[in-house]
Amino acid sequence: SQQGEEDPQALSIQEGENATMNCSYKTSINNLQWYRQNSGRGLVHLILIRSNEREKHSGRLRVTLDTSKKSSSLLITASRAADTASYFCATDAANQAGTALIFGKGTTLSVSS
Amino acid sequence: GAGVSQSPSNKVTEKGKDVELRCDPISGHTALYWYRQSLGQGLEFLIYFQGNSAPDKSGLPSDRFSAERTGGSVSTLTIQRTQQEDSAVYLCASSGQAAYNSPLHFGNGTRLTVT
């Protein structure tokens, strides 16, 4: 399975601090995506990074991808209480058209004010 | 425009009964996914529809689970002879292309409780 695995499982920080979450996967991929889930709701897409990209930014989010290590990280800078949520990475299998997107178990982030 | 719509939002059923969960994807989206999420857990892939291709059913946990997508739009996930371990939130998502090229848009899910 190419399922991603996030690390840590849970993270607690203070407002204003940075939060870093990591994702490891097993097989070659086309892209890697990060999603956020607020309690009791569906997932919201945050960012997609392609296998030929190494870093991508979107607002306070910074994602890196190291295909040699089969890992990615999501950095949230200057965190806010509203960033409290679960964060998931998702991958597909490279060279297999139309494969399903598989999610990891997620990192639960708690930001306290 | 409207997002992905799932119904019902909550469903309580007795063990052994059949249930049907419905998903209305975003109009024009060719890819549709079903996932299951148990309390505090990650997403478990169930089934994937892409255009007119045969669906990827590799994630269905048993033959009690089946899904259809009629006319390339609405999808129904059916669970026959429900068991208590089927209790979970069932999430549907759609995307405009194969998911590796574009993000998934999720519905808010159906919370299934089997008593």
Side-chain angles (χ1 to χ4, degrees), chain A residues 41-60:
Chain A
R41 308 284 290 181
L43 280 73
V44 174
H45 178 260
L46 294 177
I47 200 162
L48 181 154
I49 186 165
R50 302 192 188 284
S51 58
N52 62 353
E53 297 176 310
R54 292 297 167 258
E55 188 171 311
K56 204 160 183 178
H57 297 255
S58 176
R60 295 183 295 112

Side-chain angles (χ1 to χ4, degrees), chain B residues 11 13-20 78-82:
Chain B
K11 176 72 176 177
T13 189
E14 291 180 352
K15 177 182 173 180
K17 301 281 191 182
D18 298 351
V19 294
E20 285 190 352
T78 302
I79 308 173
Q80 295 178 310
R81 305 181 302 282
T82 51

Side-chain angles (χ1 to χ4, degrees), chain A residues 31 33 35 37 45 92 98 101, chain B residues 35 37 48 99-100 103-104 107:
Chain A
N31 305 309
Q33 303 185 33
Y35 287 78
Q37 183 181 36
H45 178 260
D92 69 331
L101 201 61
Chain B
Y35 292 91
Q37 186 176 32
Y48 166 45
Y100 65 85
L104 300 188

Side-chain angles (χ1 to χ4, degrees), chain A residues 9-13 18-21 76 79-81 83-87 107-111:
Chain A
Q9 288 187 323
L11 181 60
S12 293
I13 60 174
N18 296 340
T20 299
M21 287 159 272
I76 304 174
S79 63
R80 306 166 182 169
D83 294 328
T84 295
S86 293
Y87 293 82
T107 292
T108 300
L109 174 65
S110 177
V111 182

Side-chain angles (χ1 to χ4, degrees), chain A residues 22-90:
Chain A
N22 303 296
C23 169
S24 59
Y25 56 91
K26 297 178 181 177
T27 64
S28 296
I29 59 171
N30 292 305
N31 305 309
L32 185 144
Q33 303 185 33
W34 284 91
Y35 287 78
R36 185 181 78 186
Q37 183 181 36
N38 290 92
S39 180
R41 308 284 290 181
L43 280 73
V44 174
H45 178 260
L46 294 177
I47 200 162
L48 181 154
I49 186 165
R50 302 192 188 284
S51 58
N52 62 353
E53 297 176 310
R54 292 297 167 258
E55 188 171 311
K56 204 160 183 178
H57 297 255
S58 176
R60 295 183 295 112
L61 305 181
R62 172 178 171 252
V63 169
T64 62
L65 179 64
D66 187 335
T67 53
S68 67
K69 295 181 179 178
K70 291 187 171 59
S71 68
S72 174
S73 68
L74 170 66
L75 169 67
I76 304 174
T77 60
S79 63
R80 306 166 182 169
D83 294 328
T84 295
S86 293
Y87 293 82
F88 297 87
C89 68

